[in-house]
Amino acid sequence: MTMMTVEDKDGQKINPAIKENQIPPQGSSGDGTIALVSADTWYAVPDSAPTEDYTIVVSLENADGTIRWSFNGGGAPSVTNGNLAPNHLAINMGANKTLYFGSSTAGDDVNYSYIKQV
């Protein structure tokens, strides 16, 4: 069996599983916790959207209830509105946009960290 190699435009061997010229985020960052104070209510995460594109990572801190997430926070979080939140969610977001999280139980929390794309 012959091993195949992959080269970039300059003839350097590369790992094809990694996108060539991928640049990691290098902007300012922030983190915090959002308390889902009331049941069946959407909360913006982060509470104030960055003004540049950014990558956000959200994890569940307290999850006694069923936690859901949404891009627009429309309607009440329920089996018909929002997506079940995984324990860990990482997503690229546009400037001035937030995610929304809500729980079926008051008092749950989500933690977040973000880094702006420059």
Side-chain angles (χ1 to χ4, degrees):
M1 175 184 250
T2 305
M3 289 291 284
M4 186 168 109
T5 61
V6 178
E7 297 178 355
D8 67 9
K9 64 182 186 246
D10 298 320
Q12 298 295 315
K13 291 180 183 176
I14 62 170
N15 180 343
I18 300 172
K19 183 178 175 182
E20 183 181 355
N21 297 327
Q22 186 175 17
I23 300 171
Q26 301 190 20
S28 59
S29 61
D31 55 26
T33 298
I34 300 294
L36 308 177
V37 178
S38 297
D40 302 322
T41 302
W42 290 116
Y43 293 89
V45 178
D47 53 359
S48 179
T51 56
E52 292 91 15
D53 293 350
Y54 65 104
T55 299
I56 188 168
V57 178
V58 182
S59 60
L60 306 182
E61 179 65 24
N62 293 324
D64 293 332
T66 300
I67 297 180
R68 296 188 171 272
W69 72 275
S70 171
F71 285 110
N72 70 3
S78 68
V79 294
T80 56
N81 287 312
N83 302 285
L84 286 174
N87 287 331
H88 175 88
L89 173 69
I91 192 165
N92 294 328
M93 296 293 293
N96 303 308
K97 303 291 183 191
T98 62
L99 294 174
Y100 293 87
F101 283 78
S103 178
S104 61
T105 303
D108 286 347
D109 300 302
V110 295
N111 293 336
Y112 67 89
S113 293
Y114 68 81
I115 188 162
K116 295 178 183 178
Q117 307 283 339
V118 292

